[in-house]
Amino acid sequence: EGRRGGRAGGLTMPVRDAVPGDVPAITAIYAHHVLHGTGTFEEEPPTEADIAARVAKVQAEGFAWLVAEDESGQILGYGYFAPFRPRSAYRFTAENSVYVRDDIRGQGVGKAVVAELLRRAEAKGIRQMVAVIGDSENVGSIGLHLSLGFRQAGVLKAAGMKFGRWVDVVQMQRA
């Protein structure tokens, strides 16, 4: 697949398939969210080798792992969709994840990435996209998904413990 443009902060921003050279930036973005946020329930940042393996697995299975970059080629954020669950009955349902560099959150990067993920998922024959969002106070991710037509499907109360507090999981869904 080629590049699709998105808009972030008034700038046109390419969204493209991730390549091995993107792994250091993806790893750094995710590490920040692991260490400082409740959007992910991982507590130890994965290594570049771990992230490279994750990207390769998603792409090898025919799913999308995308990055958004600025005009100078700096990675602004990334996202992917992968199988929701391994059982065959779920084969038309995928789960998406999206992470944006902390210094530019709220400028449309995540929305551009998720919009392209939805386009790719539909082209692949996916019928339902699920977002499993860490923390019911994660208004940025919840709002981003609402803006793209997702609806809240449920909340798992106090499902995880991170930073010494119980954290909810918000489940959102879009056909």
Side-chain angles (χ1 to χ4, degrees), residues 133-153:
I133 299 169
D135 202 348
S136 57
E137 296 175 16
N138 188 344
V139 295
S141 188
I142 293 167
L144 153 65
H145 285 87
L146 284 171
S147 76
L148 289 170
F150 284 76
R151 294 294 168 249
Q152 187 169 306

Side-chain angles (χ1 to χ4, degrees), residues 43-60:
E43 296 181 290
E44 295 292 327
T47 66
E48 286 185 14
D50 295 332
I51 293 294
R54 292 177 190 188
V55 173
K57 182 177 190 294
V58 166
Q59 291 177 335

Side-chain angles (χ1 to χ4, degrees), residues 15-174:
V15 175
R16 60 168 174 79
D17 290 286
V19 297
D22 299 326
V23 167
I26 292 168
T27 303
I29 290 166
Y30 188 59
H32 177 87
H33 287 275
V34 169
L35 294 171
H36 303 286
T38 51
T40 175
F41 282 13
E42 280 196 76
E43 296 181 290
E44 295 292 327
T47 66
E48 286 185 14
D50 295 332
I51 293 294
R54 292 177 190 188
V55 173
K57 182 177 190 294
V58 166
Q59 291 177 335
E61 292 176 352
F63 296 89
W65 192 304
L66 307 177
V67 295
E69 61 184 2
D70 66 14
E71 57 281 350
S72 68
Q74 294 290 311
I75 303 301
L76 303 173
Y78 72 92
Y80 60 92
F81 74 90
F84 173 65
R85 295 282 183 270
R87 290 190 171 82
S88 63
Y90 293 115
R91 67 190 172 277
F92 299 108
T93 302
E95 179 179 339
N96 77 338
S97 291
V98 61
Y99 294 92
V100 175
R101 222 173 62 200
D102 189 59
D103 62 321
I104 53 155
R105 290 189 343 203
Q107 296 182 34
V109 173
K111 186 171 184 174
V113 170
V114 175
E116 181 63 9
L117 289 173
L118 290 167
R119 190 189 74 75
R120 298 274 189 103
E122 187 173 356
K124 183 177 172 54
I126 298 297
R127 299 281 313 245
Q128 298 291 326
M129 184 69 79
V130 175
V132 179
I133 299 169
D135 202 348
S136 57
E137 296 175 16
N138 188 344
V139 295
S141 188
I142 293 167
L144 153 65
H145 285 87
L146 284 171
S147 76
L148 289 170
F150 284 76
R151 294 294 168 249
Q152 187 169 306
V155 177
L156 302 175
K157 294 290 192 181
M161 167 67 74
K162 192 163 181 190
F163 304 133
R165 71 176 178 94
W166 291 105
V167 183
D168 297 342
V169 172
V170 176
Q171 296 178 317
M172 300 185 77
Q173 180 178 358
R174 176 190 152 148

Side-chain angles (χ1 to χ4, degrees), residues 4-18:
R4 302 268 301 190
R7 296 192 60 78
L11 301 173
T12 299
M13 165 195 53
V15 175
R16 60 168 174 79
D17 290 286

